[in-house]
Amino acid sequence: MRNTHPRTSRPHQRTAIMFGCAALLSLLVGESLAQTADQLRAPGAPKATVWIEPSVSVGATLSSNGNASSSNARSELMFDITPGVRAILNTPRVKGFVDYALSAQYHVDGNSGNRISNRLNANGTLEAWDQRAFVDLSGTISDQSISAFGPESNARLSDSNRSETSSFRISPFIRGSFGGLADYQVRYALQTLNTNTSIRSDSTSQVLSAHLGSRPVGQLLGWYFDASSQETDYTVGRDTRSDIARAGVIIAVNPQLNVTLSAGVETNDTITLQRESYNITGVGFEWRPSLQTSVSASAEDRYFGTGYNVALEHRTGRTIWRYVASRSASDSPTQTGSVSLGSVYDLLDALLDPAVTDPIVRDRLIRGQLFELGLPADAEVFQDFLSSSATLNQIQRLSVALSGIRSVVTFNITRGRTSRLDSLTTLGDDFDSNSEIDQKSWGVNYAHRLTPLTSFNAAYLDRKSTGSSGVNSKRQSISLGLSTRLARRTNGSVQLQFGRFNNTAGSYSDTAISGRINHRF
């Protein structure tokens, strides 16, 4: 039986991990700059690519219901200033990105407390030794919903259901090949997740994994063997351990289609107090009928039932269509785990001409389009929320982006079902009273360039969460905005938002208007 922790935390250990990972993320930028200086001094050497852009944003928001109340609505005026820095790294030894912003918020009417918040999206790979040893680094900091059913407000002026949550990961690994017959990789990963609220768990996970295999390049058959051991430590509830070993055969039906058959065994104590063993059997395929279309699907019989992953993508000259569906276990207190520069950013990146391969050029083109149209890099549609143990997540998501000469439209519809895998303990989160939580959401963003300097944008969001106990919440919002270029690297925007929220406890509406000036140095 694994250790069970009371509702306490270990701030010194976790703070050390966070600062250590943050320092390593800073190392990515420092190492890249050092390489740039060395290469510029070397005659005839290719130019290193490092792009760093500081920025600052100042704004004011006036809300008619800043305290998100159904019976005692009070207006709220908030001022904020947000300096930030973004770096794209593409040197021979360092590749990745860092996007960080620090926001200071002052609430004039005091309905919410003044606060300083952080936002970070960072991901990079450092080559440590001779194309053999590497280190992956990633980090995110963002506000997360504590409960799937808690109140929301326009511009998030009320922070009663929000908690700043940070996740950092460091993963050194070595890779190579045995005479071209087989590829190998051995990896260690340490990930920590911390949240500011005391009513949800923090976690630390350590994973040791190994891979050995051969892809069927020019041959009919390929093979692989994977093994991993993971330990997850929660500050609330039980620690868990999972060991997995699986082997598979890859069949190259033709150059566009691969079929995979796999089998293995896993041992864990996720759903039982004692460690139990389970067999794994799986099948999958990858099909690329053209450069514009890709389809992949896989299914496995696991300890929680059938797990699967489906991904479809089709691109045309002006559109991108994506569909993903998955059913999988997650050891993270948040349901999302990937690091990106934003959902809208990713769709525009997929629309960009693949012939533009330089990541810095691609980023500047995408950022310039977002800047001109007044679109956010990320448009949160699906509401992530915090849990205190491993969960079973079932998600379906359809994303579409259409790009015209002067307009961009993005559409996203998501359905999710989440349940707790560990039903043996009471942990104080939403799953104490709900065996399952269903979520449905859809949203659309539209932006149109009215003149070479001015753009109009509009967005609609509708999302609903329903628990098995009957508790529910629903959020609907509409926003309209204008954005105009004030100088070559400065723009100003005005946004009007209308929102309505209701849950089992009551309902309220909210109207907010905000103004903002953004400058990129």
Side-chain angles (χ1 to χ4, degrees):
M1 177 177 171
R2 306 290 294 165
N3 294 332
T4 301
H5 298 292
R7 196 173 298 277
T8 58
S9 61
R10 287 168 289 181
H12 297 298
Q13 175 188 355
R14 300 190 183 280
T15 300
I17 294 174
M18 289 175 61
F19 276 109
C21 290
L24 286 170
L25 290 170
S26 301
L27 177 64
L28 289 176
V29 179
E31 178 70 19
S32 298
L33 291 175
Q35 290 184 48
T36 301
D38 291 341
Q39 291 190 359
L40 288 176
R41 286 192 294 267
K47 180 181 179 181
T49 50
V50 177
W51 181 59
I52 299 176
E53 181 184 73
S55 64
V56 64
S57 170
V58 293
T61 301
L62 177 63
S63 169
S64 65
N65 194 354
N67 57 330
S69 173
S70 58
S71 59
N72 186 29
R74 290 179 289 179
S75 62
E76 177 73 88
L77 176 62
M78 181 194 74
F79 295 98
D80 70 272
I81 179 169
T82 305
V85 61
R86 182 169 57 255
I88 304 296
L89 317 170
N90 188 36
T91 72
R93 288 183 56 196
V94 180
K95 300 184 185 300
F97 61 84
V98 178
D99 187 5
Y100 174 74
L102 176 69
S103 180
Q105 302 169 1
Y106 174 68
H107 294 258
V108 176
D109 300 291
N111 295 320
S112 297
N114 301 328
R115 62 181 297 223
I116 295 178
S117 61
N118 301 272
R119 182 184 57 78
L120 170 70
N121 287 294
N123 193 40
T125 299
L126 169 66
E127 179 192 335
W129 175 61
D130 194 27
Q131 288 291 311
R132 291 181 174 86
F134 303 83
V135 181
D136 282 343
L137 299 163
S138 64
T140 63
I141 305 176
S142 63
D143 281 350
Q144 298 285 342
S145 295
I146 299 173
S147 169
F149 312 106
E152 300 178 62
S153 65
N154 281 331
R156 296 177 180 172
L157 292 183
S158 175
D159 55 7
S160 60
N161 190 44
R162 310 291 297 184
S163 175
E164 185 172 281
T165 303
S166 59
S167 176
F168 292 94
R169 180 177 181 268
I170 178 172
S171 180
F173 64 97
I174 58 173
R175 69 184 183 194
S177 63
F178 295 114
L181 299 176
D183 299 324
Y184 69 86
Q185 179 175 288
V186 179
R187 177 187 293 268
Y188 169 77
L190 171 65
Q191 180 167 347
T192 178
L193 187 142
N194 296 76
T195 178
N196 282 349
T197 179
S198 61
I199 60 176
R200 294 293 185 269
S201 179
D202 296 342
S203 72
T204 299
S205 64
Q206 300 181 74
V207 184
L208 182 63
S209 62
H211 168 82
L212 182 66
S214 175
R215 299 287 297 180
V217 180
Q219 301 177 354
L220 176 62
L221 295 178
W223 59 274
Y224 69 89
F225 174 78
D226 291 335
S228 65
S229 179
Q230 174 173 328
E231 291 189 355
T232 304
D233 175 13
Y234 298 96
T235 57
V236 178
R238 298 187 303 122
D239 300 346
T240 60
R241 177 177 172 179
S242 174
D243 300 316
I244 301 177
R246 60 162 64 84
V249 176
I250 307 170
I251 305 170
V253 179
N254 56 51
Q256 291 78 37
L257 176 62
N258 288 342
V259 176
T260 302
L261 304 175
S262 62
V265 63
E266 60 184 326
T267 303
N268 63 55
D269 53 6
T270 303
I271 60 177
T272 58
L273 291 176
Q274 305 297 328
R275 286 169 57 79
E276 300 285 347
S277 294
Y278 311 86
N279 292 325
I280 301 174
T281 54
V283 62
F285 73 88
E286 297 179 1
W287 181 42
R288 293 193 64 92
S290 68
L291 293 176
Q292 293 76 33
T293 305
S294 63
V295 182
S296 65
S298 63
E300 279 191 326
D301 185 21
R302 299 285 306 277
Y303 72 95
F304 54 81
T306 300
Y308 58 81
N309 282 282
V310 178
L312 297 85
E313 179 174 301
H314 178 69
R315 289 182 297 151
T316 68
R318 295 265 181 197
T319 65
I320 175 76
W321 304 76
R322 286 178 173 172
Y323 173 77
V324 295
S326 65
R327 187 174 188 265
S328 61
S330 172
D331 296 300
S332 171
T334 64
Q335 282 68 58
T336 56
S338 61
V339 180
S340 77
L341 288 169
S343 58
V344 178
Y345 182 102
D346 289 344
L347 288 172
L348 294 182
D349 183 42
L351 280 171
L352 192 61
D353 188 347
V356 183
T357 58
D358 190 311
I360 291 181
V361 176
R362 293 185 68 88
D363 181 82
R364 297 183 72 172
L365 289 172
I366 297 167
R367 290 287 177 181
Q369 190 174 16
L370 292 170
F371 191 73
E372 290 179 357
L373 293 173
L375 281 173
D378 187 44
E380 180 188 278
V381 176
F382 189 75
Q383 181 188 21
D384 197 11
F385 63 95
L386 297 173
S387 62
S388 294
S389 67
T391 56
L392 177 61
N393 304 324
Q394 185 173 336
I395 294 178
Q396 295 175 289
R397 178 179 292 114
L398 173 65
S399 303
V400 180
L402 302 91
S403 177
I405 297 176
R406 295 194 300 168
S407 302
V408 170
V409 179
T410 65
F411 177 79
N412 186 303
I413 182 169
T414 305
R415 298 184 63 181
R417 172 172 292 177
T418 309
S419 59
R420 182 193 289 168
L421 286 171
D422 178 9
S423 60
L424 304 173
T425 53
T426 300
L427 302 173
D429 59 17
D430 286 340
F431 296 107
D432 282 354
S433 54
N434 298 276
S435 59
E436 291 182 339
I437 296 175
D438 290 328
Q439 295 177 283
K440 300 177 182 179
S441 61
W442 69 276
V444 59
N445 285 271
Y446 170 75
H448 177 72
R449 192 165 63 248
L450 301 172
T451 72
L453 299 179
T454 303
S455 298
F456 167 80
N457 59 79
Y460 176 78
L461 172 65
D462 187 307
R463 61 187 176 206
K464 182 178 182 180
S465 299
T466 304
S468 57
S469 67
V471 64
N472 62 80
S473 67
K474 185 174 184 178
R475 172 71 175 174
Q476 296 171 298
S477 66
I478 299 174
S479 67
L480 305 170
L482 283 175
S483 175
T484 188
R485 188 188 306 171
L486 304 176
R488 189 174 67 89
R489 299 181 65 82
T490 305
N491 78 337
S493 62
V494 177
Q495 201 83 13
L496 182 63
Q497 295 176 288
F498 307 90
R500 181 170 180 81
F501 176 86
N502 63 76
N503 61 12
T504 309
S507 63
Y508 61 85
S509 58
D510 184 17
T511 301
I513 185 170
S514 60
R516 182 165 300 278
I517 295 177
N518 304 284
H519 178 72
R520 301 178 299 170
F521 295 96

